[in-house]
């Protein structure tokens, strides 16, 4: 899995290969410049060593050269940092764009089956963690590798024997880093999963704050959150602890390397009397030994951080690579909708082993008002999901104007419906922006006219800025009834050829509901309408009432016909008006 993830990351980096080449070249130049500094310092020390034999002129010249090298190195490192930032955040931007595009095409079944907070965590938190690891890799990995190679070359040029000692001892720190990194991958994976679970819980608690408080669930919710938070603390501590062992371990090994170089170098200076290795040369060699060891510490830190980054990348890629809805490419666009809807032997279930809708047959003529009633869980809302093609039927077919909806583009099918659900949805934005979602080019006069028909104009004008009042997420402080009125206004404005009203007036007071029912009656003229209702008094005027139970239509007819049958519908109706 990890190797596959690395390949996917490398594929995303191909787009930035020119910038990567520039970054590598800058890493090489800055590393070489940084390694040139000890050589200058070593030469300066050799000009100082010796009684009454200090070459001040030579030292001054070397200091000027040192200043130029250090200044140039600083500028090039800054440029390299800019390039690395552009690569890193470019890649993360691309991944987030891919994730956002994927969210548009993910099946509703995937959204329904996963915690929304976990999906948010993948796109936001995991992408940030991946960016941190990738930036660290670019910032330290390239420079570290180049520094190791160049330092080794300089040491070989000064004293091959001492350089050999360094090379022999170096693999020890690499083995330690690789061993710990391998074992921390699972810990970082568990941490990311637990963080996603925590985000989902926070998202849920914030979204349902009123319900939590109304039922006195605060203490229980706090205990559940504390339990998840404690698990996150434990797995975070374990991941961080084991990953943090790498640096001290490699530093210890590097300390041993430095001590070995110091001892061997000092013996070489004494033995040769400075002929094969001068004091300045030893100083330079010790500096190179330090610089040679330093990248191993940094790279070991990068490796452990990259474990976390790769785990986050895996979660992000798993979202991006989720199968999309079946493509609409090459499918017909539904135009000039009349609204003749049929269902032929439709079978559907959310879970294969649990049957829901079986052998559903339905024929709706243009302009008919079809009411769907039945007890909770009988499949009323499922029919709406199938009509809108949020889910595809398992067998059978649903047709609009004689065309199987699976052969029609989803956008054109859904554009033919106007839908008001029991659960309202409003976006962050102005009242006007929420109303014109179904008809972006609507004029102010059309918006106001639709609001008056839905009886929303009155409360809108009482808002601080009227139609320009900015609403927070999901309507903010508006009452549930006011939110529903805005959703109704949205449909009143668009006036599509087919309507779906799923308990559209459930949150509205009785007087306003009666007024809106009149507006609905006017709006439904000439439009095929599906009305899901629990309050049977609101569907008396329906052309056809479908009575559902256990996923089947067990009765159908007008209100009066069904009452005369004295069947299940009659029982439902009388139970609502029983004294």
């Amino acid at each position: 899995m990890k190797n596959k993830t690395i390949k996917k990351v490398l594929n995303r980096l191909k787009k930035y290969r020119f910038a990567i080449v520039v970054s590598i070249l800058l890493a090489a130049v800055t590393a070489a410049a940084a390694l040139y500094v000890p050589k200058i310092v070593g030469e300066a020390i050799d000009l100082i060593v010796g009684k009454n034999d200090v070459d001040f002129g030579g030292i001054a010249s070397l200091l000027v050269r040192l200043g130029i090298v250090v200044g140039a190195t600083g500028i090039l490192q800054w440029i390299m940092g800019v390039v690395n930032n552009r690569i890193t955040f470019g890649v993360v931007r691309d991944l987030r764009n891919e994730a956002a595009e994927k969210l548009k095409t993910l099946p509703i079944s995937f959204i329904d089956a996963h915690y929304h907070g976990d999906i948010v965590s993948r796109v936001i938190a995991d992408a940030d963690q991946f960016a941190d690891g990738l930036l660290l890799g670019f910032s330290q990995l390239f420079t570290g590798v180049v520094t190791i190679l160049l330092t080794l070359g300089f040491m070989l040029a000064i004293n091959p024997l001492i350089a050999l000692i360094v090379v022999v001892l170096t693999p020890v720190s690499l083995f330690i880093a690789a061993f710990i990194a391998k074992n921390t991958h699972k810990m970082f994976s568990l941490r990311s999963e637990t963080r996603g679970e925590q985000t989902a819980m926070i998202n849920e608690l914030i979204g349902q704050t009123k319900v939590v408080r109304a039922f006195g669930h605060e203490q229980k919710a706090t205990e559940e959150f504390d339990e998840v938070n404690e698990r996150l603390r434990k797995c975070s501590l374990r991941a961080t602890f084991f990953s943090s062992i790498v640096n001290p371990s490699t530093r210890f090994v590097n300390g041993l390397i430095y001590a070995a170089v110091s001892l061997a170098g000092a013996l070489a200076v004494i033995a040769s009397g400075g002929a094969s290795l001068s004091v300045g040369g030893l100083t330079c060699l010790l500096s190179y030994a330090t610089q040679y060891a330093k990248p191993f510490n940094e790279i070991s830190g990068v490796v452990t951080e990259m474990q976390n980054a790769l785990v986050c990348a895996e979660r992000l890629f798993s979202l991006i690579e989720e199968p999309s809805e079946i493509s609409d490419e090459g499918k017909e666009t539904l135009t000039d909708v009349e609204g003749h809807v049929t269902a032929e032997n439709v079978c559907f279930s959310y879970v294969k082993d649990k049957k829901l809708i079986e052998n559903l047959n339905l024929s709706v003529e243009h302009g008919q008002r079809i009411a769907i009633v039945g007890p909770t869980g009988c499949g009323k809302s499922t029919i709406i999901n199938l009509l809108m093609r949020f889910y595809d039927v398992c067998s059978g077919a649903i047709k609009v104007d004689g065309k199987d909806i699976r052969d029609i583009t989803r956008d054109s099918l859904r554009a033919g419906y106007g839908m008001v659900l029991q659960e309202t949805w409003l976006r962050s934005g102005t009242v006007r922006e929420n109303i014109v979602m179904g008809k972006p080019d609507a004029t102010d006069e059309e918006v106001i006219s639709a609001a008056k028909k839905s009886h929303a104009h009155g409360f809108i004008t009482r808002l601080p800025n009227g139609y320009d009042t900015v609403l927070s997420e999901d309507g903010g402080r508006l009452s549930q009834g006011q939110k529903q009125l805005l959703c109704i206004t949205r449909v009143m404005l668009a006036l599509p050829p087919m309507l779906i009203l799923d308990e559209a007036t459930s949150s509205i007071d009785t007087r306003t509901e009666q007024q809106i029912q009149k507006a609905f009656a006017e709006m439904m003229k000439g439009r095929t309408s599906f009305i899901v209702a629990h309050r049977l008094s609101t569907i008396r005027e329906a052309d056809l009432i479908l009575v559902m139970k256990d996923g089947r239509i067990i009765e159908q007819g007008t209100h009066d016909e069904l009452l005369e049958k004295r069947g299940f519908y009659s029982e439902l109706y009388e139970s609502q008006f029983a004294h």
Side-chain angles (χ1 to χ4, degrees):
M1 178 64 75
K2 187 168 66 174
N3 292 335
K4 290 181 180 178
T5 304
I6 292 172
K7 287 180 181 178
K8 292 170 188 174
V9 172
L10 292 176
N11 284 332
R12 297 311 195 284
L13 289 172
K14 286 180 181 178
K15 179 180 176 182
Y16 302 93
R17 51 182 171 266
F18 176 74
I20 292 172
V21 170
V22 172
S23 179
I24 292 173
L25 290 175
L26 287 171
V29 173
T30 54
L35 293 175
Y36 187 54
V37 170
K39 187 176 185 304
I40 297 174
V41 173
E43 290 177 9
I45 289 174
D46 282 338
L47 294 177
I48 296 172
V49 174
K51 187 175 180 182
N52 299 321
D53 191 22
V54 178
D55 184 354
F56 289 103
I59 292 173
S61 175
L62 289 173
L63 289 176
V64 170
R65 199 193 311 173
L66 181 65
I68 293 171
V69 171
V70 171
T73 303
I75 293 171
L76 291 175
Q77 285 178 335
W78 175 78
I79 295 172
M80 184 174 66
V82 171
V83 173
N84 290 341
N85 277 317
R86 286 184 177 275
I87 296 170
T88 298
F89 294 111
V91 171
V92 174
R93 176 204 59 200
D94 295 342
L95 285 175
R96 278 194 172 134
N97 285 340
E98 285 185 58
E101 287 299 317
K102 174 59 68 171
L103 290 176
K104 295 178 186 177
T105 62
L106 278 175
I108 298 295
S109 57
F110 177 88
I111 303 295
D112 288 345
H114 289 77
Y115 290 118
H116 295 178
D118 182 58
I119 297 174
V120 172
S121 180
R122 295 190 198 195
V123 179
I124 304 299
D126 287 337
D128 282 338
Q129 291 283 323
F130 174 61
D132 291 341
L134 195 61
L135 183 58
L136 194 64
F138 278 118
S139 301
Q140 297 182 0
L141 193 59
F142 289 163
T143 307
V145 171
V146 173
T147 300
I148 290 169
L149 295 175
L150 291 178
T151 309
L152 189 58
F154 278 116
M155 285 193 293
L156 285 169
I158 296 171
N159 191 302
L161 181 61
I162 295 176
L164 185 63
I165 294 173
V166 173
V167 172
V168 170
L169 292 175
T170 297
V172 178
S173 61
L174 290 176
F175 287 137
I176 293 172
F179 175 77
I180 297 175
K182 182 180 179 181
N183 287 278
T184 54
H185 183 79
K186 292 181 180 179
M187 299 176 193
F188 280 122
S189 180
L190 180 61
R191 186 177 78 170
S192 290
E193 291 173 7
T194 310
R195 186 175 58 230
E197 184 181 346
Q198 186 188 59
T199 305
M201 181 173 287
I202 293 171
N203 191 49
E204 184 179 276
L205 289 175
I206 292 173
Q208 303 297 328
T209 298
K210 293 179 182 177
V211 177
V212 170
R213 293 185 180 180
F215 285 90
H217 194 67
E218 294 97 329
Q219 184 61 35
K220 180 67 174 176
T222 302
E223 290 173 1
E224 291 173 354
F225 179 81
D226 286 346
E227 188 272 329
V228 175
N229 206 26
E230 178 63 17
R231 278 195 284 117
L232 180 60
R233 183 190 70 83
K234 287 181 179 178
C235 60
S236 296
L237 275 176
R238 289 186 67 194
T240 305
F241 173 75
F242 282 100
S243 64
S244 65
I245 293 175
V246 176
N247 197 274
S249 301
T250 54
R251 281 184 182 277
F252 175 74
V253 175
N254 293 336
L256 293 177
I257 294 173
Y258 186 84
V261 171
S262 300
L263 180 60
L267 292 174
V269 171
I270 295 169
S272 66
S276 64
L277 184 65
S278 66
V279 175
L282 176 59
T283 305
C284 184
L285 198 59
L286 289 172
S287 179
Y288 284 149
T290 303
Q291 292 198 47
Y292 179 80
K294 184 180 178 184
F296 286 103
N297 293 328
E298 293 176 347
I299 291 172
S300 63
V302 169
V303 169
T304 52
E305 187 64 33
M306 285 298 290
Q307 297 303 310
N308 184 30
L310 288 174
V311 166
C312 294
E314 282 175 19
R315 283 168 49 80
L316 197 52
F317 284 133
S318 69
L319 175 64
I320 292 171
E321 291 166 1
E322 274 294 324
S324 298
E325 289 181 317
I326 299 171
S327 173
D328 284 339
E329 187 177 353
K331 293 186 177 179
E332 186 179 352
T333 300
L334 187 64
T335 57
D336 302 321
V337 182
E338 292 185 6
H340 178 61
V341 181
T342 59
E344 301 172 358
N345 299 316
V346 168
C347 295
F348 175 79
S349 62
Y350 294 105
V351 182
K352 289 184 179 180
D353 298 336
K354 295 183 179 180
K355 295 180 180 179
L356 180 56
I357 291 179
E358 293 183 272
N359 299 319
L360 176 67
N361 290 282
L362 180 65
S363 180
V364 182
E365 298 298 329
H366 163 71
Q368 278 192 314
R369 287 175 289 180
I370 309 299
I372 306 172
V373 302
T376 300
C378 68
K380 301 187 296 296
S381 295
T382 300
I383 289 182
I384 303 303
N385 286 336
L386 297 177
L387 289 173
M388 294 288 287
R389 209 180 161 206
F390 291 142
Y391 289 83
D392 280 330
V393 299
C394 296
S395 63
I398 295 176
K399 298 180 179 179
V400 174
D401 295 344
K403 300 172 183 176
D404 192 321
I405 62 173
R406 289 170 293 188
D407 299 328
I408 300 168
T409 63
R410 292 181 181 83
D411 287 344
S412 64
L413 171 67
R414 292 164 187 170
Y417 282 104
M419 185 165 64
V420 182
L421 302 178
Q422 184 175 5
E423 296 179 3
T424 59
W425 183 83
L426 298 173
R427 52 168 286 199
S428 297
T430 65
V431 171
R432 180 181 281 98
E433 288 170 344
N434 275 280
I435 293 174
V436 301
M437 283 182 64
K439 190 178 180 183
D441 58 346
T443 64
D444 288 347
E445 290 74 18
E446 289 175 320
V447 171
I448 292 171
S449 174
K452 286 180 177 178
K453 288 178 183 177
S454 67
H455 300 275
H457 181 71
F459 88 81
I460 292 174
T461 55
R462 291 192 295 272
L463 294 174
N465 297 307
Y467 286 85
D468 293 319
T469 301
V470 177
L471 304 177
S472 60
E473 184 180 354
D474 198 29
R477 295 183 179 180
L478 295 182
S479 69
Q480 192 64 29
Q482 288 172 330
K483 295 176 190 177
Q484 206 159 33
L485 286 176
L486 288 183
C487 293
I488 293 170
T489 305
R490 189 186 291 161
V491 175
M492 291 274 190
L493 176 64
L495 285 180
M498 298 181 289
L499 298 171
I500 293 176
L501 307 175
D502 187 353
E503 286 296 316
T505 57
S506 62
S507 300
I508 298 170
D509 64 273
T510 305
R511 183 172 175 275
T512 304
E513 180 187 21
Q514 291 173 349
Q515 294 173 323
I516 291 176
Q517 290 294 348
K518 293 178 183 177
F520 274 160
E522 186 66 28
M523 183 173 67
M524 285 188 285
K525 286 182 180 178
R527 291 180 173 80
T528 303
S529 306
F530 294 90
I531 308 160
V532 176
H534 289 292
R535 284 185 284 184
L536 303 186
S537 59
T538 63
I539 57 166
R540 290 179 179 177
E541 305 302 320
D543 297 311
L544 180 67
I545 298 173
L546 306 177
V547 185
M548 294 192 68
K549 186 178 182 182
D550 300 327
R552 295 180 180 226
I553 297 174
I554 59 172
E555 296 175 8
Q556 57 181 299
T558 64
H559 174 73
D560 293 333
E561 289 171 349
L562 291 172
L563 286 181
E564 287 178 8
K565 288 182 179 179
R566 306 300 297 172
F568 188 64
Y569 177 83
S570 178
E571 292 179 16
L572 290 175
Y573 186 79
E574 289 175 0
S575 67
Q576 289 191 7
F577 296 95
H579 296 288

